[in-house]
Amino acid sequence: IFERTFPLLKFEAREENVSPQILDGLYEYECAIGDVPRYYVEPLEKLIGASSKEDQLQSDSLPSLLKVDSRKTTYWRQYLEEACGDRPCFGVFWRSKIDLANRAKNYVSPALVGKCIPVGSVVVNLQYEHSQKEDNYLKETAKIYGFKVVDLPKINLTNDIDDLFSVLKVVDAVIGPLLSTSWFAAAVGTPAYTFRKEEKGYIWQQFGTKFIVWAPAIRMYFSRPSDPWENTMSLIQSDLLQKFGR
């Protein structure tokens, strides 16, 4: 997807073994990734200033930073149109497979994330690694709250990156904690309703704005670590109803 988006650049895959092209001296210069931002301070400040307008949060469509595969996008658009009809279609996920304490505090159960889904909507399961028990919980929750669950056939959400980006492009929004899926959705201009436990009520990537500067499609919902998740899910549901109806 990077090569398709930036055709004038050459990308080397990150692997355990360093590419021979790098070791053989093909590249004349190198720059540690941490050094790069200092060359972009001025344009970054302009970006922050331009993005700090609150009305951008309400934009119906945000620009796609990455170029998705057109053929796969057409396929998944048709697939989801058949599955969803004219109903809102949301991608959901609830945890990462990395279970460190500082990250796990932001994870929820599929039953809990289901509480924010408006009645009559369609949900696409974007949890890239999940158990049959979790899958059953999500579908049981769908029956309780009146929404439909759609699975994606023959797609590996970890490795089939072009398919994943195409699905993210065509769903109306995604809902989940701040994980790679949220960033991926924002990169193709799809709203990401993102919840997070954060005592201070913000993260450094906001740079003092109301949202994440380079990913304005991400809507952050912060809560204190001691607060129940149900309050956050209620807020997200209210915003989804306001934007997508039902």
Side-chain angles (χ1 to χ4, degrees):
I1 193 167
F2 286 147
E3 291 177 342
R4 189 164 50 246
T5 306
F6 308 102
L8 299 181
L9 299 180
K10 177 177 174 57
F11 293 89
E12 293 285 355
R14 186 178 69 179
E15 301 174 350
E16 278 192 33
N17 297 321
V18 178
S19 168
Q21 295 188 9
I22 296 176
L23 295 178
D24 292 345
L26 176 66
Y27 301 103
E28 296 180 6
Y29 303 97
E30 65 178 36
C31 181
I33 194 168
D35 283 344
V36 174
R38 65 186 174 127
Y39 298 105
Y40 296 93
V41 171
E42 185 176 345
L44 184 58
E45 287 178 340
K46 290 181 180 179
L47 176 64
I48 292 172
S51 301
S52 61
K53 298 176 182 179
E54 190 170 355
D55 58 359
Q56 188 168 347
L57 283 166
Q58 305 303 320
S59 175
D60 289 332
S61 60
L62 290 164
S64 178
L65 302 178
L66 298 176
K67 188 175 181 180
V68 297
D69 183 299
S70 58
R71 181 180 59 83
K72 290 181 182 292
T73 302
T74 298
Y75 171 81
W76 288 114
R77 179 175 284 112
Q78 292 175 345
Y79 179 86
L80 291 178
E81 282 178 351
E82 292 178 5
C84 304
D86 62 350
R87 292 177 289 179
C89 184
F90 306 119
V92 301
F93 47 97
W94 48 89
R95 64 172 176 83
S96 166
K97 65 180 180 181
I98 301 174
D99 198 24
L100 300 176
N102 65 329
R103 299 188 62 169
K105 66 180 181 180
N106 297 304
Y107 303 162
V108 299
S109 67
L112 191 54
V113 76
K115 288 188 175 182
C116 71
I117 306 300
V119 173
S121 302
V122 177
V123 159
V124 178
N125 186 351
L126 294 180
Q127 180 61 45
Y128 64 91
E129 179 186 78
H130 62 273
S131 65
Q132 185 61 51
K133 185 177 181 180
E134 288 176 308
D135 189 53
N136 293 339
Y137 277 152
L138 181 62
K139 291 176 179 176
E140 289 170 7
T141 302
K143 293 178 182 179
I144 295 172
Y145 293 104
F147 61 87
K148 176 183 176 182
V149 176
V150 172
D151 293 315
L152 301 175
K154 300 179 181 178
I155 174 175
N156 184 311
L157 292 170
T158 300
N159 298 321
D160 297 338
I161 297 299
D162 274 332
D163 285 283
L164 175 58
F165 272 105
S166 293
V167 171
L168 292 171
K169 182 67 177 176
V170 300
V171 296
D172 292 308
V174 301
I175 303 142
L178 188 59
L179 303 176
S180 57
T181 309
S182 307
W183 295 105
F184 290 170
V188 295
T190 297
Y193 291 76
T194 307
F195 46 82
R196 185 180 179 93
K197 293 286 188 183
E198 192 67 58
E199 185 71 41
K200 60 183 182 293
Y202 63 89
I203 55 178
W204 69 267
Q205 292 95 332
Q206 293 174 253
F207 288 97
T209 68
K210 294 180 180 295
F211 52 100
I212 298 173
V213 173
W214 51 79
I218 294 179
R219 278 75 161 162
M220 295 298 302
Y221 294 80
F222 294 108
S223 61
R224 296 166 63 92
S226 58
D227 291 342
W229 278 116
E230 283 78 4
N231 295 342
T232 301
M233 298 305 161
S234 179
L235 286 173
I236 294 175
Q237 185 187 60
S238 177
D239 286 348
L240 291 174
L241 283 167
Q242 183 177 358
K243 187 171 179 64
F244 300 102
R246 293 310 291 181

